[in-house]
Amino acid sequence: MTDVVLKVKDLAVSFMSELGLVRAVDGVDFELRRGETLALVGESGCGKSVTAHSILRLVEHAGGRIERGSVWFNGADLLKMPAEALRRVRGNRIAMIFQEPMTALNPVFTVGEQVAEVIREHLGRKRKEARAQAIDLFARVGIPDPSQRVDHYPHQLSGGMKQRVMIAMALACSPLVLIADEPTTALDVTVQAQILDLIASLQREQGMAVLLITHDLGVVAEVGDRVSVMYCGRMVEHGTAHEVFSEPLHPYTHGLISSIPSLTAPRGQLRAIPGGVPDPLDFPSGCRFHPRCFLKTRLETAAESGGSRICSEVSPSLREWRPSHPAACHFAEHMPPAAKEPAP
Amino acid sequence: MTDLKEITAALEERAAVQGPRRILHPRRRLHQAALWIADTVILASAAATLIASSAPWVRIDQGSVEFPNFRTWIRADAAWLAALWVYLLVRILLGSRNRRGWMKRILIRGLAGLFLLFLVLTHLLPDRRPPERVSVFAEGFSIQAPIPFDPDHTDPEAFRAPPSRRHLLGTDTQGRDLLSRLIHGGRVSLLVAFCSTLIAVSLGLLFGAVCGFFGGLVDLLLMRVLEIFLCFPQLFLLILVFAYLPGSLLAVVAMIGLVAWTSIARLVRAEVLRIKNHDFVLAARALGCPSFMVLIRHVLPLSVGPTLVAASFCFAGAMISEASLSFLGLGLPQGTPTWGRILFDGKGALDYAPWISLFPGLLLFLAIASIHFVGERLRDALDPRARVIAPEIMPSVSISKGRIR
């Protein structure tokens, strides 16, 4: 398939903590196609940010180690690329936006200087040209009064404006892939919508692919073309946004969707997935979701014995239960549709 | 706590009597005084040849006008004045008030011009002071320097003379004017302190940045080297070295710099370790900034503040080291007038001529204390969180014409 711009295969990343080895990501595969938005969702700590940071090998600066796997981009494996070649890809062909616009900008330089720095580094422009280009970019990302704003320091801008600056920086070299690591988590809801709209419209203009990392399913429903769900460092489900929302095949996805509070439903206790996120030092054996899985308990009460055994012993691999909608569950055919039947 | 109204009323009353005036926190007043002392010491030292010299500024003798003082100038004098202009320039540029005033602009241009003039002079002037040809008590009309004595000039009429109108701070056992010696000695102290601080800061920045930023084995090994340096008490190391090494200005500067760099290196390392975990450093990498540039552009600029503060304390420390060495008769060559040496010279005469040791001691104390306070002021200014003035106690009101704005 020529459509695929970025292909991640069997990625595994670990961190050496004082308590022991943490396998934050353990065998993750996904592919990103030209012009689409792939949403990577999951709870906090499930390894989605680590996955994003591994693509550009940024985890290595945070003490992480890439154990195995490959990231194919433009016919080359980013994980085996020499540092200098990788540096040319960073910010140029693959760009990244961070979660906290407050801290992702250097406080001692003006925002214009920071955008111009990227342009000078990758496109080899002169100082003046780069500044002019930065002003253009600011106008494109909807910053009012761009020729004034370039000379402002980050602390003079609001959170939404800073995130726009970050986007301007990321777009400076018209990248093929934009990795957005929870770009709207730190922002107000109204600003959130503006930023998502901005990313979507720029994506249409430039035809770039966006890898959107989020735990906010509302955001996914709004802009995601396809969805990949992660749990405890593993992929549990892939599919189009529509498929995943209407007919989730993994009990974890089901739990996530039914824990969204509804405005129309009668008031009552909020639904949550029972149990907590497992200790990354000591993941459960077999399927990592089995201690919290309602499907497993349901099958057990229905006396289909043997079913529960396999969950705690054999780790399920991704299987195409429906065409191009794989899920990693042994009993995906028993899944109830999300909207009709709530999880107990 | 006093009521806010009372304070404002008092301020208003004061403003009505004295006119608009900025009211400073006591701590700030102390810092301000320290800055004035530091200014005075630097000004006097830089212009030592102009202030304390037996050669008059102007002499009119039988119709011909001469400038004997200027004829005694050597390169070092011009270089000192150039340094003084740079210092004044920095002071004006960093001054918080009247930031964009026209006076400032004119002043800066004027100072820049003078700086160039003195730079040119350094190339035209002789290396060594020419032998004295004119007598101090020449005939005709002349304008003397404020302190008309050379630091090495012996006044035959006054040995161990107490402070008087002729010798403001008295003379030493050899009849040399103490004030003149102190002014010229300030040069040596400042020069040694400045240059060794420069060495210490450069080394500290280099080692600290490399250790903190790259980490790993390099960090491990370099930090052990640093710890070896830290094992030796600084002053004893200096004394030991100069017990064997022939003293010279260069050796003193280099050695003081070499023993002082460790504290700066540790500070810079800690700063770099703190800063490199910020998101914007990761963002810079994600945008393809080369590692070296990340360090230079995104990490080091943020550690400038604490480093500057540490440098000011290092400066005071170097001054103490130099004075201690001179007091022990080590380090700088014999006969160089430094504060420590003058103190040492007066030690034997403490019983009957206490002023010989009193004044250099007092001067050392004042200079070092004021540099410490300047460093403290720098820290307050660079760290906005360390507020000393609680806003509810000292309202930041500016009062003019009795009204609060």
Side-chain angles (χ1 to χ4, degrees):
Chain A
M1 240 182 353
T2 51
D3 241 13
V4 176
V5 280
L6 188 80
K7 192 179 171 87
V8 176
K9 271 180 86 175
D10 194 30
L11 181 73
V13 184
S14 62
F15 288 84
M16 197 67 211
S17 80
E18 275 176 29
L19 299 171
L21 192 73
V22 176
R23 289 180 211 282
V25 174
D26 194 5
V28 158
D29 311 78
F30 64 88
E31 47 186 48
L32 193 59
R33 295 176 199 146
R34 190 179 301 277
E36 76 165 356
T37 300
L38 173 67
L40 195 59
V41 296
E43 276 167 305
S44 309
C46 72
K48 49 192 197 304
S49 277
V50 173
T51 307
H53 287 225
S54 304
I55 293 171
L56 286 174
R57 267 160 67 183
L58 292 172
V59 277
E60 288 170 1
H61 296 292
R65 217 166 72 87
I66 296 171
E67 299 273 352
R68 58 172 202 273
S70 53
V71 177
W72 293 96
F73 176 77
N74 261 354
D77 185 358
L78 293 180
L79 301 187
K80 296 194 176 60
M81 218 175 223
E84 183 55 28
L86 179 70
R87 194 180 66 67
R88 271 185 237 282
V89 174
R90 285 176 179 175
N92 190 11
R93 311 276 64 198
I94 302 179
M96 197 158 169
I97 309 175
F98 289 84
Q99 184 172 355
E100 288 271 349
M102 323 291 161
T103 57
L105 288 168
N106 189 334
V108 300
F109 292 111
T110 64
V111 287
E113 276 172 341
Q114 295 183 53
V115 176
E117 192 190 345
V118 182
I119 298 168
R120 277 161 56 199
E121 183 64 45
H122 289 301
L123 305 178
R125 296 277 195 277
K126 293 265 161 41
R127 199 173 281 266
K128 264 193 179 162
E129 284 176 70
R131 187 188 148 87
Q133 223 165 325
I135 294 173
D136 283 349
L137 277 165
F138 274 29
R140 269 180 60 202
V141 297
I143 295 175
D145 224 351
S147 52
Q148 304 270 311
R149 289 291 184 181
V150 284
D151 293 324
H152 281 194
Y153 286 90
H155 69 89
Q156 291 169 298
L157 304 179
S158 66
M161 280 302 147
K162 275 185 237 181
Q163 197 58 292
R164 282 172 198 268
V165 172
M166 286 303 295
I167 294 171
M169 267 164 99
L171 294 180
C173 306
S174 317
L176 284 173
V177 176
L178 178 70
I179 302 170
D181 185 4
E182 311 215 12
T184 58
T185 310
L187 304 175
D188 282 350
V189 186
T190 45
V191 183
Q192 243 182 46
Q194 290 171 9
I195 295 291
L196 289 173
D197 281 348
L198 174 67
I199 295 177
S201 71
L202 292 167
Q203 184 184 11
R204 273 195 301 279
E205 268 173 48
Q206 303 196 345
M208 67 182 174
V210 175
L211 176 64
L212 183 73
I213 287 136
T214 184
H215 57 244
D216 188 343
L217 291 173
V219 168
V220 177
E222 205 169 323
V223 296
D225 295 321
R226 287 194 308 130
V227 179
S228 293
V229 186
M230 271 186 92
Y231 184 74
C232 289
R234 285 194 183 149
M235 278 295 165
V236 294
E237 188 168 355
H238 290 296
T240 63
H242 179 74
E243 282 170 349
V244 171
F245 273 99
S246 59
E247 292 174 279
L249 285 177
H250 196 280
Y252 175 63
T253 320
H254 187 283
L256 277 186
I257 293 166
S258 46
S259 60
I260 305 172
S262 163
L263 282 176
T264 51
R267 277 196 191 187
Q269 203 169 12
L270 292 173
R271 269 193 221 102
I273 303 174
V277 182
D279 181 5
L281 288 166
D282 183 24
F283 281 130
S285 60
C287 173
R288 288 180 177 176
F289 188 60
H290 83 260
R292 304 170 74 186
C293 183
F294 73 89
L295 196 60
K296 178 173 173 277
T297 41
R298 183 178 295 183
L299 290 174
E300 271 168 1
T301 48
E304 282 189 43
S305 56
S308 56
R309 180 72 80 59
I310 193 172
C311 284
S312 57
E313 279 168 10
V314 181
S315 172
S317 52
L318 280 169
R319 193 174 135 191
E320 291 213 12
W321 293 94
R322 300 215 183 90
S324 70
H325 185 179
C329 179
H330 294 296
F331 299 101
E333 73 262 38
H334 296 292
M335 275 295 297
K340 288 168 200 161
E341 204 173 343
Chain B
M1 201 178 77
T2 330
D3 195 42
L4 189 69
K5 267 185 194 161
E6 273 175 46
I7 295 178
T8 16
L11 291 178
E12 272 183 80
E13 197 180 309
R14 193 160 162 187
V17 178
Q18 301 179 340
R21 189 182 161 202
R22 216 165 88 137
I23 293 149
L24 289 177
H25 190 272
R27 190 175 152 115
R28 279 289 301 277
R29 249 183 265 167
L30 183 72
H31 292 161
Q32 204 66 41
L35 206 54
W36 282 113
I37 294 176
D39 282 349
T40 313
V41 169
I42 290 170
L43 192 85
S45 304
T49 330
L50 212 59
I51 298 172
S53 168
S54 58
W57 287 353
V58 187
R59 183 190 296 124
I60 304 167
D61 197 9
Q62 293 162 353
S64 67
V65 181
E66 284 180 29
F67 303 96
N69 187 282
F70 184 70
R71 227 179 285 141
T72 64
W73 278 35
I74 54 170
R75 274 183 192 177
D77 297 316
W80 265 103
L81 283 182
L84 177 67
W85 297 130
V86 173
Y87 172 76
L88 288 179
L89 211 68
V90 171
R91 282 278 275 120
I92 292 167
L93 281 174
L94 293 184
S96 55
R97 279 192 282 176
N98 192 19
R99 193 160 286 216
R100 284 194 199 83
W102 57 271
M103 256 177 73
K104 207 174 203 174
R105 239 174 296 151
I106 289 175
L107 216 58
I108 287 168
R109 270 178 214 160
L111 286 177
L114 277 170
F115 176 67
L116 286 179
L117 179 71
F118 287 117
L119 224 54
V120 172
L121 275 180
T122 50
H123 286 277
L124 297 179
L125 290 171
D127 240 357
R128 290 175 181 284
R129 215 172 286 283
E132 195 85 27
R133 257 175 279 147
V134 282
S135 158
V136 187
F137 308 102
E139 286 162 35
F141 173 76
S142 62
I143 301 174
Q144 291 285 345
I147 301 150
F149 301 100
D150 282 335
D152 297 324
H153 174 79
T154 302
D155 189 347
E157 293 158 35
F159 286 97
R160 295 198 303 266
S164 64
R165 191 173 283 180
R166 186 176 161 86
H167 299 284
L168 287 175
L169 296 186
T171 60
D172 67 3
T173 47
Q174 294 172 46
R176 296 175 294 194
D177 185 77
L178 205 58
L179 185 55
S180 174
R181 281 181 78 72
L182 286 178
I183 288 175
H184 282 265
R187 279 192 173 185
V188 183
S189 295
L190 288 178
L191 188 70
V192 168
F194 182 79
C195 293
S196 50
T197 305
L198 209 64
I199 292 178
V201 170
S202 322
L203 277 176
L205 269 177
L206 185 74
F207 276 77
V210 167
C211 283
F213 193 68
F214 295 105
L217 196 65
V218 183
D219 183 28
L220 197 76
L221 291 177
L222 285 180
M223 285 319 279
R224 299 298 86 78
V225 172
L226 191 144
E227 273 158 17
I228 292 171
F229 267 87
L230 274 177
C231 286
F232 299 102
Q234 297 193 356
L235 189 61
F236 287 99
L237 188 64
L238 285 173
I239 292 171
L240 191 74
V241 167
F242 284 107
Y244 292 99
L245 212 69
S248 73
L249 192 70
L250 199 69
V252 171
V253 165
M255 280 315 296
I256 293 178
L258 272 178
V259 297
W261 69 275
T262 46
S263 60
I264 304 232
R266 294 220 298 184
L267 179 97
V268 172
R269 176 175 175 271
E271 278 295 304
V272 168
L273 278 177
R274 183 179 65 83
I275 297 161
K276 82 169 181 178
N277 286 326
H278 277 296
D279 268 359
F280 62 81
V281 175
L282 197 67
R285 286 188 196 282
L287 290 165
C289 192
S291 258
F292 186 68
M293 287 293 285
V294 173
L295 176 62
I296 297 290
R297 272 187 68 85
H298 295 282
V299 177
L300 281 186
L302 275 93
S303 64
V304 162
T307 311
L308 220 59
V309 175
S312 73
F313 293 127
C314 183
F315 190 96
M319 242 169 150
I320 295 174
S321 297
E322 183 273 325
S324 317
L325 276 178
S326 295
F327 183 76
L328 295 172
L330 297 167
L332 291 165
Q334 302 281 325
T336 321
T338 77
W339 293 346
R341 179 60 54 92
I342 299 167
L343 198 68
F344 173 71
D345 287 345
K347 198 183 65 176
L350 212 54
D351 289 339
Y352 43 91
W355 58 86
I356 305 176
S357 327
L358 180 71
F359 289 120
L362 208 63
L363 195 58
L364 262 172
F365 168 74
L366 272 180
I368 288 163
S370 63
I371 289 165
H372 266 285
F373 286 129
V374 169
E376 217 172 75
R377 171 83 192 97
L378 212 60
R379 191 175 55 199
D380 287 354
L382 291 171
D383 186 1
R385 275 165 303 179
R387 282 212 170 270
V388 283
I389 307 166
E392 64 271 20
I393 298 172
M394 286 298 285
S396 61
V397 286
S398 77
I399 295 177
S400 65
K401 290 173 193 158
R403 274 221 317 271
I404 300 171
R405 281 197 296 192

